[in-house]
Amino acid sequence: MRLPALLSGSLGILALLGCSSSDHANGPASGYLVNAIAVADIDANGLPDILGMVSTNLGGAATQGYVSTRLQRSAGSFVLPTRFGVGTGPANLTLADLNGDGRPDLIVANAGDQSISVRLADPSRPGFFQPATVLATPGRRPLDVAAGDFDGDGRMDLVVAASGANSVLVFTQTATGAFNAPLAYAVGGDPQAVAAVDLDGNGRTDLAVATTANTVSILLQTGAGIFAPAVDYATGTQPVAIKAVDLNGDGRPDLLTANYGAAVGPTAQGLSVLLQGAPGTFLTPVHYATGYRSTALAVGDLNGDGKVDVVVADSGLPGDPGGLSVFLQDPATPGALLAPASYRGNWGPMGVAIGDMDGDGFPDLVLADGDITVRLNSPTAPGTFGPPLFFYN
C-alpha cells in the first residue's frame, strides 16, 4: 500500500498520492487503479493534457470509475486534477470529435456495467466535459472503443470490442447526435481491442480487431457502412491492444499488437508487427520480445529520426512492477525494430501514451502505472527516458 503524500502538480516537483489501495480500520478496503491513459489538448491552449482512466473498488467490488484530467497550463506545469465519472470497471478510453465542434470528446468502454460512456466537450468550459450519454451493450463487456465515420455521412460513429460474442458492435451516429442501436459484425474470436482506419486506401474507414483466437480480424468497408466478411491474420498469443500506423514508410498502415499471453525467453512474442502487403492484406507477423504480460502500446518518433518507434507497456507477473519496452526503429531496415530498452515499472504499467509534457520539443512517455506517471525524453540522448514523475488522481 502506498501512503498519500501530496506535493505539487508541476513536472519540476514530484506530485504523489497513494494509488492502489487505502485501508480503513472500521470498514472494507477500497482502492483505485489508473488502467488506461490518453494525451490530448482538451482545453485548446496548444499544450497536450493528460487523461487517466481510473477504476475503483470497495471491498473488492467494482464501483463507479472516473477519468482524471490534468490540464497543462504552461510548458511542464499542470493544474490539479478534475474528475469526470464514467461507468463501473472502465477498461479503455478514446478521444474523438463526435459532434464536429472542433473539440475532442471522451468515450469510455465500461466492462463492469456493460456500457459506453460518451461525454461531449463542454463548449462553455474548455477542458471540461458534459454529463455522460450511456450506450448499453447488454450481455457484452466492452474492452475497447474506437471512432470513425463508417457510413460516409460525415458524422463520427463508434465501434466497440465487447467481450461475450465473436463480433464487434458498430454504433452509427444520427443527424441529431444520438446513436442507433448497434450492428454486430462477426470476427474470428472474442474481441479484445479495435482500431478504425482506412487500411486499403480507398477512402473508407475499415476495422482491425484483436481477438482471443490469437488473430487480428480485418473488416474492409465496402461502402455506406457495410463491411466485408472478416479475414483473419495470426498474431502472438492473446493480443489485447492494437495500433495501425505506417511503420515502414510505404504510405500504407501496418498493424501492431501487444500480446498479454506471450511466452517468455528467446521466442517471446509480446509485440507482433504485421506489415501491409497488397492493399488491405498483411504479411506474416514479425514478433519481438517484451517484458511479461504486455497490455498496451503507443507509437511515435521518439528519437527525432523521422521514423516511427514503438513503446509497449508490460504489466508484469503478480507481485512484479512490470515495465516498459521501448523499441526504436532500425534506421537501416524500414519497418524493423531494434532490441528494446527496458524501464522498470512501479505498479505494473497498463497503458502508455506519447506527448511533449515539458515543452522541449521531445516526445515524452505518459503511463497508467498505478498512478499517472511521466518519463521525460532526454534532450541530449533522444529516445531515452528519465525516472518516473508521479501525479495523483
Side-chain angles (χ1 to χ4, degrees):
M1 179 181 70
R2 187 185 295 172
L3 298 177
L6 173 59
L7 296 177
S8 169
S10 169
L11 278 178
I13 304 174
L14 185 64
L16 175 62
L17 181 75
C19 92
S20 286
S21 67
S22 58
D23 297 327
H24 303 274
N26 298 311
S30 65
Y32 71 82
L33 180 71
V34 181
N35 59 331
I37 204 81
V39 169
D41 180 11
I42 61 174
D43 58 356
N45 69 348
L47 300 172
D49 309 303
I50 301 173
L51 298 93
M53 190 190 72
V54 183
S55 60
T56 66
N57 70 83
L58 178 63
T63 51
Q64 183 184 20
Y66 60 90
V67 171
S68 176
T69 64
R70 282 282 191 158
L71 302 180
Q72 188 174 183
R73 291 305 194 201
S74 60
S77 180
F78 293 79
V79 303
L80 295 177
T82 302
R83 296 175 175 181
F84 298 93
V86 294
T88 61
N92 217 336
L93 79 165
T94 193
L95 291 140
D97 182 7
L98 296 178
N99 57 358
D101 66 354
R103 302 178 178 92
D105 306 307
L106 175 64
I107 310 107
V108 177
N110 305 302
D113 59 13
Q114 301 177 3
S115 72
I116 303 296
S117 296
V118 177
R119 300 193 66 142
L120 298 179
D122 189 334
S124 64
R125 302 181 71 193
F128 284 72
F129 297 98
Q130 296 178 351
T133 296
V134 178
L135 308 178
T137 61
R140 305 282 297 272
R141 298 176 64 250
L143 300 178
D144 194 17
V145 58
D149 180 8
F150 302 132
D151 53 9
D153 63 359
R155 294 185 289 268
M156 295 295 279
D157 310 308
L158 298 175
V159 57
V160 181
S163 179
N166 291 356
S167 61
V168 291
L169 303 176
V170 173
F171 292 83
T172 54
Q173 189 175 173
T174 72
T176 65
F179 288 88
N180 293 307
L183 298 175
Y185 291 90
V187 295
D190 197 64
Q192 304 295 293
V194 60
V197 66
D198 180 7
L199 293 172
D200 54 1
N202 66 357
R204 304 184 182 109
T205 303
D206 309 305
L207 304 178
V209 184
T211 82
T212 55
N214 303 333
T215 61
V216 57
S217 292
I218 303 301
L219 293 88
L220 299 179
Q221 190 184 159
T222 60
I226 305 300
F227 294 92
V231 178
D232 295 332
Y233 296 87
T235 65
T237 304
Q238 202 175 345
V240 293
I242 188 167
K243 294 289 183 184
V245 66
D246 180 8
L247 188 65
N248 59 359
D250 66 356
R252 296 185 298 236
D254 309 303
L255 297 175
L256 300 89
T257 65
N259 308 313
Y260 183 84
V264 297
T267 59
Q269 300 178 355
L271 171 66
S272 296
V273 174
L274 290 79
L275 298 178
Q276 189 166 172
T281 67
F282 294 87
L283 305 178
T284 301
V286 176
H287 304 296
Y288 295 87
T290 63
Y292 292 106
R293 293 187 173 177
S294 299
T295 55
L297 70 159
V299 293
D301 181 5
L302 298 176
N303 60 353
D305 66 353
K307 299 179 183 299
V308 176
D309 307 307
V310 183
V311 184
V312 180
D314 305 313
S315 60
L317 296 174
D320 181 82
L324 293 175
S325 300
V326 177
F327 294 87
L328 300 179
Q329 189 168 165
D330 186 344
T333 308
L337 302 175
L338 300 173
S342 298
Y343 296 84
R344 185 176 175 84
N346 295 283
W347 291 91
M350 299 181 69
V352 58
I354 296 173
D356 183 3
M357 294 294 112
D358 58 357
D360 66 354
F362 296 92
D364 308 307
L365 303 182
V366 186
L367 310 173
D369 191 3
D371 291 305
I372 294 170
T373 68
V374 173
R375 285 181 177 267
L376 296 179
N377 203 337
S378 169
T380 58
T384 65
F385 298 88
L389 306 173
F390 298 88
F391 290 81
Y392 79 94
N393 309 295

